[in-house]
Amino acid sequence: MNLRLPNSRCAAVLALASAALLLPSCGGDEGRPKRYPASGKILVDGKGAGGIRIRLHPIDRLRDVDALNPSGVTDDDGAYRLGTYEEVDGAPAGRYKATLFWPDAPPGQSRPKDLFGGKYAKPESSVFEFSIAEGDNQLADIEATKAAAPAKPRPTARRKAEAGPDPDGPSTK
């Protein structure tokens, strides 16, 4: 059995060609908008609170399901960092309104209730407005208040059918 090995120049060209073919499939940023680091803090009744989910909605596309919505989750001190495609890869430049959701329990079998009572859930009525610019962005603190009672989770289609008509009226979605 006589195996013929390629010369070193041929092997180098083959290696470079293979690498060039593989690079586009490595999840690069091609076609994605540039993102800039953005962080801030959420205070509830004057104190930092963990587990609050913040989501930014582009002002000119508030209800567009195809719009990019950078988001983050607060740590125990209320600090968060935004991410768009990955956990903390930043946010595209632009003007945004923020929504907040504070689950009453960690993810699990049941749907969590919002400890803000849904007060900060709709981008159209949000009072929290931010601009993301090129470079590092330190966003203004958000001052929020905890609801007297958490909002009930929206019933799923199956539970709605079993429970009868929705006492809160038709869905606004």
Side-chain angles (χ1 to χ4, degrees), residues 38 56 59 92-97 129-133 137-139:
L56 299 188
I59 286 180
R95 291 182 50 226
Y96 297 89
K97 286 205 171 201
E129 194 170 308
F130 297 104
S131 289
I132 303 294
N137 293 269
Q138 180 61 47
L139 305 177

Side-chain angles (χ1 to χ4, degrees), residues 100 114-122 125-126 128 144-147 151:
L100 306 178
D114 183 5
L115 293 174
F116 291 129
K119 181 177 181 179
Y120 308 113
K122 295 184 180 180
S125 59
S126 175
F128 309 123
T145 55
K146 189 173 181 179

